[in-house]
Amino acid sequence: MSTPHADYILEHGGIAILTISKDGLIQSFNASAVNFYGIPAAKIIGQPLITLIPPDHHTTHERAIHLAGLQNSAVELETQHYHHDHLIDTRVIISAIHDEGALVGFSLFVIDITKQMRIQTALQHERNVLESILEATNDAIVMVDTNQHIQTINLRFETLFQLPRYQFILRPASDLIAAIDNTPHLPKAFANMFMSLATDIYENAGGELTLPGPTPIDLIWYSTPVYAHDGSIIGRLFVFRDVTQERQSDRMKTEFVALVSHELRTPLTPIQGFSEMLMDEEMGVLDPNLREIVTIIKANADRLAALITDILDLTKIDSGHIEIRPEIHDIRQIFNVVRTSMDGTLARKKQQLSITVPSNLFNIFVDADRLIQILTNLLENASKYSPEKQTVSLSVVMVEDSQDLPPNAPDNIRLPAFLFIVHDDGIGIPPEEQTHVFKRFFRSDQAMRQQIQGTGLGLTVVKSFVEMQGGHVWLHSMPGEGTTFYCTIPHIEGLA
Amino acid sequence: MGYILAVEDDPYIQVLIRRKLENAGYEVRVYGDGDTIDALIAEKRPDLILLDVMIPGKTGLEICKAIKTSMGISAPPIIIVSARGQQQDVETAYRVGADGYLIKPFSPKDLLEMVQKYTNFER
């Protein structure tokens, strides 16, 4: 080591190096130390080491020096030293100096670590902030890293699922899954979901869970891969949100709407009933003026009654109270019921209904009441948006292969399926409205202009009822060229 | 022609039922609750009973069940009239012995048709 270069490095290498005697007096002080402390070597040599150290760090130095004297290796210390007239963070490496086996003193390498400490403090602060956010958030959060170890579990997860999180942090995800699986009050679906997703890195997923108990907790959850800045995947996040209160107020709203709708039916009964009796001239002959007025009263009472029925259907759908009860039915019989219930509507506009059933189709496994309502709602629209004396048509075919579906059919249709087609040559639906027609209370601009009555709920009900039975509904239409509605009901092999 | 006993608490629907059925030649008595129905039946046996569900005192369904249980096969036909029209409501009514079910708002024509169906059947 004792080359001129080595001496230079030791003197000016940027690390303050000093040596002290066994009793702590400074014996050498290199150029970097002069720079570091801002004191000339001549002034400090012979002085005690503690003049360079703030009083509250004296003890730690004494201990470290003592320790270095006892052992054969260096002792490292993170501390503070005076630097000119203030204090800075330093790392001090202390080694014992032996001469022919006897301890003669110590060397101290002093390194400025202010910058490092600043970064560390900032990182620590950032970490604390993130942790506090995680702890304060009302969603239960778990992060699994790419080695399937639990990286993070927040406080809400612990309270929501009553699993002590510190047992699982930095442990394999399988421990947590096993714990969920072994906890009686946690549903099996929860453990299964975790298991299937913990090892899957790319999938986005979400759903609902209910924790049973005296007061069940409704949860919605989602899980998503977590990407680092450079685009690499660092793990998977699971988030659970307690939506019990939202669900509760949704239920109350639904129940309230149902209650009000039922209450409206009582006062509507005499209005609708008496106007019917008046129109039928049961109470005496009507002069044409009165007849016109009574007809208006009756039409509006009918409209209100239809609106109430649609609203009640929707509240049933919303509250999940609708039960689908499929049974084997004769398609022709269902079509006959539909035809009968359409009689009045069609007669008023002097329209015809054409029904086509292929000779090889007989039975269908379906909830007949729902199918009748689906077809009636579609046909009522067909009639409503067609001029007088036109023909509206209803037909059904069996589709086995997706190539046999109409060109604009959506993907993922379950096949084989019965395909019901309701067609009219009416005013049609402009392209910009076609995506909205199944939305609640949507009325087409044309319908409003032409004062065609409706609630904007009929197609919403159709869509719900079709989807509840595993089917799809869509349409094809051109303004002025009529509209065709398609809906499928999956055919269950072996049944019907 | 026939005697119809009706329990319906809405005064306007009372008038509607009475006028429609009287126009068709029935004798109609309408009461706002079912408290005295046993005595009324004992006094003069009706050819058909119309029962609203939500009425003061016992519900129409409870009354229906009591009549069908105590009178058995000799009980008059009973039509339940209700603002509730869900499948399970209708099924409940048939389970307690109702012969027919009308959902409010009902068409007076449908009411008469149903009443005629059950009173003719009886004769």
Side-chain angles (χ1 to χ4, degrees), chain A residues 262 265-270 272-274 276-277 280 282-283 305 312 316 321 323 325 367 369-370, chain B residues 8 10 12-13 15-16 19-20 23 82-88 91 103-110:
Chain A
H262 281 125
R265 280 178 158 180
T266 299
L268 194 53
T269 306
Q272 213 183 13
F274 283 126
E276 179 192 299
M277 286 169 70
D280 291 349
E282 258 184 70
M283 323 304 251
L312 281 170
K316 270 188 283 178
H321 279 333
E323 233 183 287
R325 301 186 196 183
D367 184 320
D369 289 345
R370 307 291 169 226
Chain B
E8 164 63 59
D10 183 87
Y12 308 105
I13 301 179
V15 180
L16 181 69
R19 292 297 284 270
K20 184 66 189 181
N23 282 355
S82 171
R84 302 189 61 94
Q86 292 188 24
Q87 209 164 343
Q88 67 255 40
E91 280 169 11
I103 300 165
K104 289 178 188 173
F106 55 84
S107 151
K109 268 185 244 174
D110 293 344

Side-chain angles (χ1 to χ4, degrees), chain A residues 134 230 297 310 329 358 371 388 431:
Chain A
L134 274 177
D230 62 0
I297 296 173
D310 284 347
H329 292 278
L371 181 58
E388 294 199 342

Side-chain angles (χ1 to χ4, degrees), chain A residues 114-286:
Chain A
T114 323
K115 258 189 215 155
Q116 217 175 318
M117 287 303 283
R118 214 178 288 145
I119 293 167
Q120 215 168 1
T121 311
L123 279 176
Q124 188 59 45
H125 176 73
E126 198 176 333
R127 209 186 153 78
N128 288 346
V129 169
L130 284 176
E131 236 163 57
S132 308
I133 292 171
L134 274 177
E135 295 302 272
T137 182
N138 207 24
D139 293 351
I141 293 170
V142 177
M143 163 102 176
V144 180
D145 67 18
T146 47
N147 298 319
Q148 276 90 55
H149 277 61
I150 306 288
Q151 265 302 317
T152 306
I153 299 187
N154 73 343
L155 178 66
R156 185 76 183 110
F157 186 92
E158 176 167 311
T159 55
L160 190 59
F161 299 111
Q162 288 163 34
L163 292 168
R165 57 181 163 154
Y166 289 109
Q167 288 182 9
F168 305 109
I169 287 176
L170 303 179
R171 305 280 313 153
S174 54
D175 287 8
L176 178 61
I177 294 167
I180 293 169
D181 207 25
N182 292 330
T183 308
H185 73 266
L186 296 178
K188 291 283 169 237
F190 184 18
N192 293 342
M193 175 277 281
F194 242 111
M195 192 142 43
S196 65
L197 285 174
T199 51
D200 182 322
I201 297 189
Y202 302 100
E203 205 68 29
N204 272 304
E208 298 184 10
L209 266 181
T210 301
L211 303 184
T215 46
I217 299 172
D218 292 324
L219 300 175
I220 54 172
W221 62 271
Y222 68 87
S223 177
T224 181
V226 180
Y227 294 90
H229 275 305
D230 62 0
S232 63
I233 289 183
I234 53 173
R236 165 172 282 284
L237 189 71
F238 294 86
V239 180
F240 303 84
R241 173 167 297 174
D242 182 346
V243 290
T244 314
Q245 274 190 333
E246 286 93 321
R247 290 290 149 89
Q248 173 77 11
S249 60
D250 266 0
R251 266 195 289 278
M252 282 169 65
K253 186 197 78 190
T254 303
E255 280 165 21
F256 174 74
V257 170
L259 183 79
V260 168
S261 304
H262 281 125
E263 288 302 315
L264 288 174
R265 280 178 158 180
T266 299
L268 194 53
T269 306
I271 300 174
Q272 213 183 13
F274 283 126
S275 50
E276 179 192 299
M277 286 169 70
L278 283 170
M279 275 175 70
D280 291 349
E281 302 196 324
E282 258 184 70
M283 323 304 251
V285 179
L286 278 186

Side-chain angles (χ1 to χ4, degrees), chain A residues 438-471:
Chain A
F438 294 108
K439 286 182 189 158
R440 221 163 263 225
F441 297 112
F442 176 79
R443 298 295 321 279
S444 84
D445 192 46
Q446 276 282 31
M448 308 279 269
R449 281 176 205 282
Q450 301 189 14
Q451 301 193 324
I452 297 172
Q453 292 183 355
T455 59
L457 294 171
L459 288 176
T460 313
V461 171
V462 166
K463 187 172 162 69
S464 299
F465 283 176
V466 168
E467 289 176 354
M468 263 180 231
Q469 313 204 51

Side-chain angles (χ1 to χ4, degrees), chain A residues 9-10 25 127 161 195 258 271 304 356 405 414 482 492:
Chain A
I9 292 167
L10 285 174
L25 299 178
R127 209 186 153 78
F161 299 111
M195 192 142 43
I271 300 174
L304 201 48
T356 317
L405 286 166
R414 256 171 73 190
I492 318 291

